[in-house]
Amino acid sequence: MGNNDKQNVITVAEAGTLGGLFRARVARSPDWVAYRHFDEASGQWKDTTWAQMAAEVGRWQIAMEREGLVAGDRVAIMMRNCREWVMFDQAAMALGLITVPVYADDRGGNVAYILNNSGAKLLVIGGAEEWERVADVRQEMLGVRRIVAVRSLGIPLPDDRLTTRDEWLPSETTEVRTSSAKPGDLASIVYTSGTTGFPKGVMLSHNNMVTNAYAASKLIHVDENDLMLSFLPLSHTLERMGGYYFPLMVGATVAYARSILLLGEDLLTIRPTVLISVPRIYERVYAKIMAGLEEKGGLAKKLFFAAVNVGWTKFLREQGRGPWKPSLLAWPILKALVAGKITEKLGGRLRVAISGGAPLTPDIARTFIGLGVPILQGYGLTESSPVISGNRIEDNVPESVGTVIIDVEVKIGDNDELLARGPNIMLGYWGNEEATRQVLTEDGWLKTGDKARIDETGHIYITGRIKEILVLSNGEKVSPADMEMAIAMDPLIEQVMILGEQRPYLSALCVLDAERWREFAVENGLDANNPSVLQDEKTEKLVLERIAGQVRMFPGYAQIRRIYLSLEPWTVDNGLLTPTLKLKRNKVMERLAEPVKELYQGH
């Protein structure tokens, strides 16, 4: 793909800090479109230039200074993706403040913990939805001196610290102030949504994130002609780096999706060339396609799989890993009949689709790539700002998480653990030296907690989690994540968790997709309206047969013997998922202690 035009990519040396990166972009291309957002009042999509962004950032700075905030103070933001997120972040960093992002849909108790642990003095929230989440815990938010709601709350303000953006921001604008922050200074504390215990505050410096954004520009070619659709939360480091600092560095435009529910419509309207997502979104699209094929059956199914197979052959040939085959002659027809229709639903212009945050099932990657959606899987952690490795358009091995990015090194440590070292590795955990010592070696290697192997071409393959290994009572070891991924490929099963630690056999807790469950019940003569049918022996046997089909490639001892079925989803709100949608295994076990006991009754 070649490197980006030197004129447009801002280098690490030019930027220095994240505030410096913003100022360099405004100076270099003031009239380019920075952001596109949906304006509720007019019902239209509107553009904002870099110069307009800078003017707004200046206003936010005046307001922050009037609050008496000084360099080193922590300020928090709890808001869905929008231009104001960027304004807040840039205004704070240019004053030497340290930003603390909070998930807009996190639970109140978690938010209060983060605000108290970081010592945040200011909290900016989106509107009524976010206020509802923190209203009950506002007395616990001890250090917060001011809460600013960007949108109207539609109620009298119930807390004297609470104000609205219109009241808080001055009418005058000013030049963006330059802070005396240095590249190595702390820029942000990002709390990892711990699947166990309280979240830990990852301390990221300006240099951590600036170098990571620059490395991304060497990994994939994106420039001012590109349009990204942003929908992963900016509080997630993957989106913050990939959907904010990276486009800022290369001059690309970012459009903010209205919501996940309206993502399908927004893709058709915005027609992005670049998309960053977690596997869950690709899995949902895949499940929808598969369900549609089941209904159509016959010819539609044959044509679909023919398109995937020929498209995959074409992909391997373009990558230099496969020969020319006569079947490739059929591609123009298969593209017109099948593949083109699916890529059109994604806007029809998608050039790069990045998947990160969790492993993407090889089958799903193969399907999308075969249909002409160029999915690139990468790998990283909040602790590494976040990217450690990634696939490239011209060197894409979808079973792997790609090769290591520039200026970062990796190696395999004890227990096959992947270790990484480089300018992107965090400063440590906020106020938690013991936790820092557990993951950072004295010579600067980050212990990722993931098992991996690296092949002779330098591609990294994640083979499991160090901690998430179930050891059955017979000593056999099973990686639950791999099996859960395989089982969740069945459209009937929305969520799944495998049990078996120190038990004689494996069991699974499954949340079924309500619509598919009704269809499945009718097909098998079950009464879908009777909740007790879910625990019926006949139901268990039928679902176990489907699960067996999904896990047939696993060893004999890794078979599911018992299941507990439910229609009640595990969510962030009911405390069973982290804000990044990772399963809180211990919480699920607590909630379903009785059913789990029954699964192993007499054993």
Side-chain angles (χ1 to χ4, degrees), residues 442-459:
E442 283 188 13
D443 51 354
W445 290 94
L446 172 72
K447 298 176 178 179
T448 65
D450 286 308
K451 287 175 175 276
R453 66 180 175 84
I454 303 171
D455 71 12
E456 63 287 348
T457 64
H459 286 84

Side-chain angles (χ1 to χ4, degrees), residues 168-201:
W168 190 66
L169 287 182
S171 51
E172 73 267 25
T173 60
T174 176
E175 286 284 301
V176 176
R177 235 70 46 82
T178 310
S179 85
S180 55
K182 297 178 185 66
D185 289 351
L186 175 59
S188 193
I189 305 170
V190 184
Y191 282 78
T192 59
S193 40
T195 50
T196 56
F198 285 115
K200 295 193 285 282

Side-chain angles (χ1 to χ4, degrees), residues 253-270:
T253 300
V254 174
Y256 291 119
R258 289 172 292 170
S259 68
I260 292 283
L261 282 176
L262 297 172
L263 191 58
E265 276 179 44
D266 289 353
L267 282 163
L268 293 175
T269 311
I270 298 297

Side-chain angles (χ1 to χ4, degrees), residues 77-80 102-113 115 123-141 147 151 153 155 158 162 235 571-579 581:
I77 183 162
M78 182 184 185
M79 192 159 50
R80 300 203 180 279
V102 179
Y103 284 91
D105 51 8
D106 206 346
R107 300 164 79 214
N110 223 21
V111 177
Y113 173 80
L115 297 173
L123 170 65
V124 173
I125 61 172
E129 197 187 335
E130 289 85 356
W131 174 248
E132 240 168 68
R133 291 182 176 274
V134 297
D136 292 345
V137 294
R138 65 180 188 269
Q139 303 312 329
E140 294 167 38
M141 304 182 328
I147 304 167
R151 292 185 304 281
L153 296 183
I155 53 167
L162 185 59
S235 41
T571 64
V572 176
D573 278 342
N574 64 24
L576 301 180
L577 293 184
T578 72
L581 308 184

Side-chain angles (χ1 to χ4, degrees), residues 209-221:
M209 293 190 270
V210 170
T211 56
N212 208 237
Y214 187 70
S217 77
K218 297 294 181 191
L219 193 66
I220 47 170
H221 178 95

Side-chain angles (χ1 to χ4, degrees), residues 68-88:
L69 295 164
V70 295
D73 281 347
R74 273 79 62 206
V75 290
I77 183 162
M78 182 184 185
M79 192 159 50
R80 300 203 180 279
N81 297 9
C82 56
R83 296 167 309 151
E84 288 80 5
W85 210 106
V86 175
M87 292 168 196
F88 161 89

